[in-house]
Amino acid sequence: MIRVLLADDQTLVRAAFTMLVESAPDMEVVGQAATGREAVGLARAERADVVLMDIRMPGLDGIEATRLIAADEDLAGVRVLVLTTYDTDEHIVDALRAGASGFLVKDTRPADLLDAIRTIAAGEALLSPGPTARLIERFLRSPSAPPTGGPDCLSDREREVLTLVARGLNNTEIAEVLGLSPLTAKTHVSRIMGKLGARDRAQLVVVGYESGLVIPGSMGA
């Protein structure tokens, strides 16, 4: 069973998410939090597999709550999936920098949300396609974007893989694009995360651009 913690300041929203999550045979809700501080406390008490985290909450917001959870070594197995109605670039960047493993807007279809929880629980990262595209565009057009090139720590193949990760492709899709086996693609991604110190694929999106290892203009259409 995937243990899910819900963090949202709106009672009706939490109730709706509870009904949705509990409808899945492989999931259970282990706690509900109305504030970021409650979310951190329940994450420590319940050891959920996935925290569905709202951004705008009173007191400690979802970004800071995510940061505290990601920084706690005792909660290394807890993954945060940020859910919000505000899919602005700033929130995407802040959520990923804080350690979120995924980002979805609240108008996501119920079935897609359940699939996202499964993806996050399995240790993968997930980014809503629309916000991900805007995140990439922000880095490409930002006057403070890092210079191209970056540290010479990745091979040419690893740079190709990193660029595809930043586009939101999974291992199977990366393998198809580069003519590799899915296992080889997965190995490349794992090695890149180790070299760049990223905790998951979502972090690679940020690290790739901030380090300059993903070259602006290389994303294509």
Side-chain angles (χ1 to χ4, degrees):
M1 294 290 286
I2 301 174
R3 296 167 58 81
V4 180
L5 170 63
L6 305 175
D8 195 292
D9 63 338
Q10 298 184 35
T11 302
L12 287 178
V13 172
R14 294 199 307 275
F17 282 144
T18 296
M19 291 178 61
L20 174 61
V21 172
E22 294 284 2
S23 72
D26 57 341
M27 300 179 195
E28 63 177 338
V29 175
V30 297
Q32 297 185 37
T35 69
R37 200 164 299 282
E38 287 181 5
V40 175
L42 284 173
R44 290 170 176 158
E46 301 296 339
R47 298 306 172 95
D49 298 306
V50 176
V51 180
L52 294 187
M53 185 77 76
D54 187 27
I55 288 182
R56 297 197 176 187
M57 292 185 288
L60 191 74
D61 65 22
I63 298 296
E64 289 305 314
T66 297
R67 199 184 315 280
L68 291 175
I69 291 172
D72 191 332
E73 293 183 358
D74 291 335
L75 300 179
V78 179
R79 299 289 181 173
V80 176
L81 174 59
V82 171
L83 279 169
T84 182
T85 54
Y86 304 97
D87 60 343
T88 63
D89 296 339
E90 290 77 13
H91 288 135
I92 298 171
V93 173
D94 290 345
L96 296 179
R97 281 178 174 154
S101 294
F103 185 102
L104 288 176
V105 292
K106 286 182 178 177
D107 62 359
T108 298
R109 294 186 306 171
D112 291 340
L113 174 56
L114 295 179
D115 285 342
I117 292 173
R118 296 185 182 101
T119 297
I120 296 299
E124 294 291 338
L126 183 143
L127 301 172
S128 187
T132 300
R134 286 192 290 277
L135 168 67
I136 293 171
E137 286 302 315
R138 170 184 172 144
F139 276 99
L140 295 184
R141 68 172 182 264
S142 172
S144 60
T148 60
D152 187 20
C153 64
L154 300 185
S155 66
D156 290 340
R157 174 63 81 187
E158 287 170 339
R159 287 173 184 266
E160 290 179 321
V161 171
L162 177 57
T163 298
L164 295 176
V165 170
R167 285 174 52 188
L169 274 64
N170 60 34
N171 292 337
T172 300
E173 293 166 335
I174 291 173
E176 291 176 354
V177 171
L178 298 180
L180 307 171
S181 71
L183 179 58
T184 298
K186 181 178 180 180
T187 299
H188 279 307
V189 172
S190 297
R191 287 176 178 170
I192 295 168
M193 287 194 292
K195 288 183 178 181
L196 300 184
R199 66 193 300 268
D200 59 26
R201 299 167 77 98
Q203 288 285 296
L204 281 182
V205 176
V206 173
V207 173
Y209 279 100
E210 291 187 331
S211 67
L213 289 170
V214 174
I215 302 173
S218 65
M219 300 304 298

